[in-house]
Amino acid sequence: MTSSKTCGPGFVLTTIQQTLQPLPAVTSPWAKSHVLRLLLVPCLLLLQEACAARHGGISLRSQHMALLHWKATLATPPLQMSSWQENTSPCNWTGIMCTAVPHGRRMPWVVTNISLPDAGIRGQLGELNFSALPFLAYIDLTNNSLHGALPPSINSLSALSVLKLPYNQLTGKIPHEIGDLQSLRWLDLSFNRLARHIPPSLGNLTMLTNLTIHQTMVSGPIPEEIGRLVNLQILQLSNNTLSGMIPKTLGNLTQLYHLDLFSNQLSGPIPQVLGRLVHLQILILCKNDFSGPIPISITNLTKMNTLYLNENQITGPLPPELGTLDMLNILKLEKNQMTGSIPLELGNLTMLNSLYLYTNQITGPIPLELGYLLNLQDLELDDNQISGSIPGIIGNLTKLVQLSLSENQITGFIPQEIGNLMNLQYLYLDLNQISGSIPKTFGKLQSMQLLSISDNKLSGSLPQEFGDLTNLVRLGLKNNSLQGPLPANICSGGRLQLLEVARNMFNGPIPSSLKTCTSLVEISLAKNQLTGDISQHF
């Protein structure tokens, strides 16, 4: 049908004439007017519906009906939908927003937003007639109980710019039809049960700024077509079972500031082309199977504040050029196969809060330059082959909360400057070759909760100041040559759970505070020269 037949005045007149023909003659002018008015109202309603059908569902009534139909299919519609009633406008419903859109000489109201996060909706998206909602631009149904498939019919929402569906129970595959939503700027399908491959058609969504498909069951390769999303700022494909190599086309995404691919089965080298992503602030590639060295091109990313390359199979030395990334807050390189020494240039990273290099094959001494990292809160160098002594300059790192140097080949004395680390809560120095006595300055470590210095070559007496460590929860001193008495008030804080002092040369009485140490879970006193009746102390 043409528009003149279905939406023009001729259609109205024809309808009125056809309706009047079977009626008996009406002589009163008032009666004629009244009959005409009664006939005209339904005709105008017919006209509205007909015009709506012709012009893409402009009718608010058709959108009203589509939403009510969807509500009727839900298992126990939630409280937020109690305003969704037949006799009210959808523009007044909770979670619905309408906008007046220009259409010829008219400005009809249409539904543009559905926003019902955390609403307890239990149902299927496939029951919603998307074709009746052609002006829908925003959907947020985060954290509901939507199940079933993501329907291919969603491609009828040509105006859609935001689609947020995380924390639901959607299953099946991501339909390739989603690539038809070329107005889409934000797509989040995280925390669902979606499976199979990521469709290459997502490469058509060139307006996208955020693509997040985190913790689903998608597998297979990252489509090369993702490299066409040149407006993308956030790309998160983490915690899936994606495999293969990072496509080189990702080097085209020069607007990216957040790239997160952690916890997949991705392999091969980290591509040099990532060095083109000069706006990148967050790069997370941990828990994959990447191999080869860290590409030098990564050091072009001078805006980066977070770099996670841990738990891969990365080899080779730490590039000294990492020291140019002076905006870094977190550097995680642990659990790889990296070799060589710690570059002196890391001392330039003065914004660094956390440095994780543990479980590698790093050799050489702890560089003095690490003492310049005055913002450092967490320094973990354990399980390597680090040698030499602990530099006293580490006492400058007064914000340190955790210092882990265990399982290395460290020699020399414990520097008394460690007593400056007033915020230190966790200190691991065990399984080294540290000698000498424990500094009395340890008594100043009032925040200390876990102290492990076991399996070294320590000698001398335990400073009585240990009794001042009232927050201590675990104390490990076993397998040394420590002697003298244990502090009488070692459990004065009432928090001590583990006390390991076996295989030393401690003598004197068992500390009296242990008798009332109700927090204690495990104690090891064997192979010392302690005296007294143990039954009286426990």
Side-chain angles (χ1 to χ4, degrees):
M1 290 187 292
T2 65
S3 58
S4 61
K5 290 184 179 179
T6 59
C7 293
F11 171 75
V12 178
L13 290 173
T14 302
T15 305
I16 293 171
Q17 289 168 356
Q18 290 173 349
T19 309
L20 283 172
Q21 280 177 0
L23 292 177
V26 180
T27 55
S28 164
W30 178 88
K32 284 183 179 180
S33 172
H34 184 64
V35 170
L36 191 59
R37 190 181 298 113
L38 290 173
L39 293 170
L40 191 55
V41 169
C43 288
L44 288 174
L45 290 174
L46 279 171
L47 173 61
Q48 184 187 33
E49 294 295 334
C51 292
R54 182 75 179 107
H55 293 288
I58 292 287
S59 163
L60 191 59
R61 177 66 182 166
S62 61
Q63 297 164 66
H64 176 279
M65 292 171 63
L67 291 169
L68 281 183
H69 170 78
W70 184 50
K71 176 187 174 182
T73 67
L74 302 178
T76 315
L79 183 64
Q80 286 93 325
M81 284 186 170
S82 58
S83 60
W84 292 32
Q85 298 295 331
E86 176 69 38
N87 58 352
T88 59
S89 167
C91 302
N92 296 325
W93 293 350
T94 300
I96 301 297
M97 182 182 293
C98 296
T99 304
V101 297
H103 185 71
R105 296 181 180 180
R106 299 183 300 120
M107 291 284 287
W109 288 89
V110 296
V111 173
T112 55
N113 289 33
I114 299 177
S115 183
L116 287 167
D118 310 300
I121 297 170
R122 298 174 59 85
Q124 299 192 40
L125 277 177
E127 296 290 347
L128 181 56
N129 180 9
F130 291 117
S131 61
L133 300 161
F135 296 93
L136 207 52
Y138 184 99
I139 298 177
D140 184 0
L141 296 172
T142 301
N143 196 25
N144 282 287
S145 296
L146 297 172
H147 59 273
L150 186 58
S153 60
I154 201 168
N155 69 346
S156 62
L157 302 179
S158 59
L160 195 65
S161 65
V162 174
L163 179 58
K164 296 180 181 180
L165 299 174
Y167 295 97
N168 279 287
Q169 299 162 23
L170 298 172
T171 54
K173 64 179 183 179
I174 300 172
H176 70 88
E177 289 86 353
I178 208 165
D180 297 335
L181 303 177
Q182 296 191 23
S183 297
L184 209 57
R185 295 176 182 271
W186 189 296
L187 175 60
D188 189 350
L189 302 176
S190 304
F191 296 99
N192 279 286
R193 300 172 186 170
L194 297 165
R196 304 188 193 177
H197 292 189
I198 297 173
S201 63
L202 290 189
N204 299 332
L205 307 179
T206 55
M207 300 292 286
L208 268 186
T209 59
N210 184 322
L211 174 57
T212 304
I213 307 175
H214 167 75
Q215 197 162 327
T216 66
M217 298 165 64
V218 293
S219 58
I222 298 172
E224 291 191 359
E225 291 80 358
I226 297 290
R228 290 157 47 186
L229 307 180
V230 294
N231 290 299
L232 211 55
Q233 297 176 17
I234 298 174
L235 176 58
Q236 291 183 271
L237 304 177
S238 42
N239 214 9
N240 293 294
T241 53
L242 297 171
S243 57
M245 299 171 68
I246 295 177
K248 292 181 179 179
T249 55
L250 261 58
N252 300 332
L253 307 181
T254 55
Q255 299 302 309
L256 268 188
Y257 66 82
H258 187 150
L259 174 57
D260 189 348
L261 305 177
F262 90 84
S263 197
N264 280 288
Q265 298 168 16
L266 299 168
S267 58
I270 298 170
Q272 291 277 357
V273 293
L274 295 188
R276 298 179 192 168
L277 310 181
V278 294
H279 294 290
L280 208 59
Q281 297 176 32
I282 299 171
L283 176 57
I284 302 179
L285 303 179
C286 55
K287 297 186 179 181
N288 280 286
D289 294 315
F290 294 120
S291 56
I294 296 174
I296 299 299
S297 64
I298 276 185
T299 60
N300 297 336
L301 309 179
T302 55
K303 295 183 180 180
M304 191 149 55
N305 58 56
T306 302
L307 177 58
Y308 285 27
L309 301 180
N310 51 296
E311 298 184 57
N312 281 288
Q313 298 176 34
I314 296 171
T315 55
L318 281 73
E321 292 85 355
L322 287 174
T324 63
L325 302 178
D326 56 8
M327 300 296 291
L328 271 183
N329 298 136
I330 303 176
L331 176 57
K332 289 176 65 69
L333 302 176
E334 76 270 11
K335 294 190 177 181
N336 280 291
Q337 300 170 28
M338 306 192 71
T339 55
S341 58
I342 299 172
L344 311 182
E345 290 81 359
L346 292 191
N348 298 330
L349 305 179
T350 55
M351 303 291 289
L352 208 59
N353 299 134
S354 301
L355 175 58
Y356 301 91
L357 301 178
Y358 65 86
T359 314
N360 277 286
Q361 299 167 26
I362 295 169
T363 56
I366 299 170
L368 297 176
E369 286 76 7
L370 293 190
Y372 304 150
L373 306 181
L374 301 183
N375 288 299
L376 207 58
Q377 298 177 30
D378 200 341
L379 175 59
E380 301 190 27
L381 308 179
D382 45 302
D383 193 15
N384 279 289
Q385 299 166 30
I386 294 169
S387 57
S389 59
I390 301 170
I393 198 171
I394 253 175
N396 292 349
L397 309 181
T398 55
K399 294 183 180 179
L400 267 187
V401 173
Q402 176 159 324
L403 175 59
S404 299
L405 303 177
S406 58
E407 295 186 68
N408 279 291
Q409 299 170 19
I410 296 170
T411 56
F413 302 152
I414 299 173
Q416 63 179 6
E417 290 88 349
I418 281 187
N420 298 333
L421 307 179
M422 307 293 284
N423 292 300
L424 200 61
Q425 296 178 25
Y426 308 97
L427 176 60
Y428 300 88
L429 301 178
D430 47 299
L431 292 162
N432 280 289
Q433 300 172 36
I434 300 169
S435 57
S437 60
I438 297 173
K440 291 184 178 181
T441 54
F442 270 40
K444 298 193 297 182
L445 304 177
Q446 297 291 305
S447 300
M448 186 67 70
Q449 295 182 33
L450 195 155
L451 174 57
S452 182
I453 325 177
S454 299
D455 299 286
N456 277 288
K457 299 179 178 179
L458 295 168
S459 58
S461 61
L462 191 62
Q464 293 301 301
E465 289 82 357
F466 262 61
D468 298 331
L469 305 182
T470 55
N471 286 305
L472 207 56
V473 176
R474 299 171 71 91
L475 175 60
L477 303 172
K478 65 183 176 64
N479 288 345
N480 282 288
S481 298
L482 296 166
Q483 56 188 335
L486 292 170
N489 56 348
I490 199 165
C491 189
S492 60
R495 301 186 61 192
L496 192 65
Q497 295 179 16
L498 172 68
L499 176 62
E500 287 186 331
V501 297
R503 296 186 179 87
N504 279 285
M505 297 159 56
F506 289 117
N507 54 36
I510 295 171
S512 57
S513 62
L514 294 181
K515 187 172 184 178
T516 56
C517 192
T518 55
S519 58
L520 202 59
V521 174
E522 183 175 342
I523 186 168
S524 175
L525 304 175
K527 297 193 177 179
N528 282 287
Q529 300 170 26
L530 298 169
T531 59
D533 186 347
I534 197 168
S535 64
Q536 293 181 4
H537 294 282
F538 297 97

